[in-house]
Amino acid sequence: MDRPLGRQPRWLGSPWSRGVAAALAGAVPALTFPVPSWWWLAYAALVPWLLLVRTAPTYGRAALDGWLGGTGFILAVHQWLLPSLHVFILVLALLLGALWAPWGLLVRALLGGAPGAGRCAAALVLVPSGWLMVELVRSWEYLGGPWGLLGASQWQVPPALRLASVGGVWLVSLLIVAVNTALAELIARPAARLPAVAGLLVCALAVTAAWLWAPLPRPAGTVRIAVVQPNLTGTPAERLARSEALTRSLAGRGVRLVVWGESSLTQDPADRPALAERLAALSRQTGAELLINADSAHAERPGISKSAVLIGPDGPTGERYAKMRLVPFGEYIPFRSVLGWATRVGKAAPTDRLRGTATVVMPVASAGGLRVGPLVCFESAFPDMSRHLVRDGAQVLVAQSSTSTFQESWAPAQHASLAALRAAENGRPMVHATLTGISAVYGPRGEQIGERLGTDRSAAAVYDLPLAEGTTPYTRFGDWAVYGAVGALVLAGGYAGLRALSSRSARAPR
């Protein structure tokens, strides 16, 4: 049965003002991602939201505060989608924001009222675990994918990147929410400061242990690669001509692999002999193979797929990868029969793209058989895809993207930052190549290599990419942090159920 938690501040007495406060509190963590990139704010960004939810007068209100806060978070992190989806982005935010309603219940149950030391200690484990379940569910590709995971805000913080090599971005998210929970406990319940301080110390020790003992990638030489960013949104022919000119400028510079961005070609060179010969001539002139990306049509079924195609001096090598995970509403519409109206209010996909069926590791002959694992567009947001490529033998991860639609927004910087996490998680360098920026390259520890090509650049940039050997704990053991969070919640649920049964039995008439 719900019980009020005592007298509330007057401005929180109104359901409307409380709802606005919840949405604004949920939006605060968006500032930790690029472009603002206030990474340090992540360790306190959830505190206002936590303090608000814990004072909810009822469990129903706590669930609503969680829902509205989640809606505010989704809107803030994805605000760059507004020109494309218009009012539909609010519908999506409300649907995804509902995932935080159970988290609101959990926060109120553990932090509401005057929790003792035991409940505060449990909150340090269960509140972060509950948050991770929200991140896990919304990472399902049909719900939009893992864009804006809290741990991804730490893409430029070396200790956090080292922690990611141990447990992936999931472990970083857990630690951030644990720190926020401890700070909320110190503010709301100073009498229970012992578990809060202990929790902060455990977090600090975990980061220190990862920094000192997590295995580092072993250097394994370098390879010279180049990224071609035409930054031209004219006709396909103009874009191709600009990409060719930039690629020719690489001749004689010792480049072994040239990477073009997503949809760098609107025709598949496998179906166009003249185009294939033009690209093969570029390969011969530069002495490097080209990893291009084509909108490939399929004779057996209507539609196109985004295909990474490797081009050598004799034309297409036969090595290709078709994008498997598509952008909801951008490349297909989930449940089109129900949600197809989105095409009338925004720029949602008029037709569905075709999916690939498996990841591919490509050997690059011009680089001595270097094994490259390609990804397309927002596939770089999925930790499991990069991990599987590395386990299959990829020495270099490559993401081909465009983001030309969102060039004046936070999207290019957010997208480029993800490659640092994927590199650090797996101890392999990663190349993020785009048509219009931001293009960036990261080493096997997630460190930036060379210059970033911003959205104002049209250039061919050369990088001496450090290669690495060895296997990170995350590559070897995978999402163990997620399984641990699930286990903690299951155990806590079982314990609460047993206590409820025991209490009911004690009250039963004899």
Side-chain angles (χ1 to χ4, degrees):
M1 181 177 178
D2 288 344
R3 293 181 182 177
L5 293 181
R7 190 173 180 178
Q8 302 292 310
R10 181 176 298 177
W11 67 274
L12 286 180
S14 164
W16 294 104
S17 60
R18 187 180 184 94
V20 171
L24 292 175
V28 170
L31 298 174
T32 66
F33 298 96
V35 169
S37 217
W38 296 349
W39 62 267
W40 43 268
L41 180 63
Y43 298 92
L46 297 179
V47 170
W49 192 4
L50 287 165
L51 292 177
L52 179 70
V53 175
R54 73 169 292 275
T55 62
T58 66
Y59 278 106
R61 184 69 222 193
L64 183 59
D65 289 344
W67 185 355
L68 294 175
T71 300
F73 177 78
I74 293 296
L75 280 174
V77 172
H78 296 83
Q79 40 79 21
W80 45 270
L81 284 172
L82 183 60
S84 296
L85 296 183
H86 299 293
V87 69
F88 197 73
I89 191 175
L90 180 59
V91 177
L92 289 177
L94 286 167
L95 289 172
L96 292 176
L99 296 174
W100 275 272
W103 184 74
L105 295 173
L106 185 66
V107 170
R108 198 227 189 227
L110 293 169
L111 297 180
R119 197 146 51 104
C120 285
L124 293 172
V125 175
L126 299 178
V127 170
S129 296
W131 179 278
L132 205 61
M133 292 305 98
V134 176
E135 291 199 335
L136 180 65
V137 173
R138 75 181 184 87
S139 293
W140 188 37
E141 60 177 302
Y142 299 104
L143 290 180
W147 193 280
L149 301 184
L150 198 56
S153 67
Q154 307 302 293
W155 64 277
Q156 57 186 332
V157 183
L161 291 172
R162 188 74 63 83
L163 195 67
S165 75
V166 176
V169 67
W170 312 109
L171 184 58
V172 183
S173 287
L174 273 176
L175 181 136
I176 291 173
V177 182
V179 170
N180 276 272
T181 305
L183 292 178
E185 289 179 350
L186 286 174
I187 294 171
R189 186 66 174 154
R193 61 181 175 271
L194 181 60
V197 171
L200 291 173
L201 288 175
V202 168
C203 290
L205 288 173
V207 175
T208 302
W211 183 260
L212 293 176
W213 291 298
L216 292 171
R218 299 190 302 272
T222 61
V223 63
R224 180 162 290 187
I225 64 99
V227 171
V228 168
Q229 179 178 295
N231 202 5
L232 190 64
T233 55
T235 67
E238 291 172 334
R239 188 166 66 235
L240 174 58
R242 179 58 179 163
S243 297
E244 287 178 307
L246 291 171
T247 302
R248 287 192 198 97
S249 72
L250 299 169
R253 301 182 64 179
V255 173
R256 294 292 172 256
L257 176 67
V258 180
V259 184
W260 291 11
E262 178 189 11
S263 295
S264 46
L265 298 176
T266 56
Q267 296 178 328
D268 193 330
D271 302 326
R272 300 289 190 275
L275 176 59
E277 176 52 33
R278 287 174 64 177
L279 298 173
L282 285 176
S283 177
R284 292 192 296 269
Q285 188 173 355
T286 59
E289 292 186 34
L290 279 58
L291 184 64
I292 59 93
N293 192 277
D295 293 343
S296 303
H298 295 260
E300 64 275 10
R301 49 184 177 150
I304 65 170
S305 62
K306 297 291 186 74
S307 299
V309 183
L310 195 61
I311 307 291
D314 298 321
T317 65
E319 300 293 342
R320 61 169 50 224
Y321 163 69
K323 184 178 182 181
M324 296 169 58
R325 297 183 181 173
L326 306 180
V327 180
F329 298 96
E331 294 178 315
Y332 79 103
I333 295 184
F335 311 108
R336 183 176 286 273
S337 60
V338 177
L339 301 177
W341 59 270
T343 60
R344 298 193 295 272
V345 298
K347 300 177 182 178
T351 58
D352 293 347
R353 297 284 170 84
L354 304 180
R355 297 176 184 272
T357 56
T359 55
V360 176
V361 176
M362 302 177 177
V364 181
S366 59
L370 179 76
R371 294 171 64 80
V372 171
L375 300 166
V376 182
C377 191
F378 93 138
E379 289 182 330
S380 64
F382 292 86
D384 65 303
M385 295 195 72
S386 298
R387 176 174 173 262
H388 289 153
L389 284 169
V390 172
R391 287 177 65 89
D392 289 341
Q395 296 169 275
V396 176
L397 298 167
V398 177
Q400 297 173 298
S401 184
S402 173
T403 62
S404 55
T405 306
F406 310 106
Q407 200 169 14
E408 303 301 324
S409 71
W410 292 3
Q414 284 186 24
H415 200 180
S417 70
L418 296 174
L421 266 294
R422 304 293 86 85
E425 285 171 340
N426 298 287
R428 295 293 183 270
M430 186 160 187
V431 178
H432 180 81
T434 72
L435 287 181
T436 57
I438 296 172
S439 297
V441 175
Y442 300 94
R445 300 185 190 182
E447 74 279 18
Q448 183 175 318
I449 303 296
E451 64 175 336
R452 289 159 62 94
L453 299 180
T455 56
D456 59 342
R457 296 285 304 280
S458 175
V462 176
Y463 303 88
D464 288 315
L465 193 63
L467 303 177
E469 296 177 338
T471 303
T472 66
Y474 176 71
T475 302
R476 180 170 308 197
F477 301 113
D479 302 328
W480 61 266
V482 174
Y483 303 140
V486 171
L489 291 170
V490 169
L491 288 174
Y495 175 73
L498 289 175
R499 284 196 62 183
L501 287 174
S502 176
S503 176
R504 187 178 303 172
S505 298
R507 293 196 305 267
R510 299 183 182 278

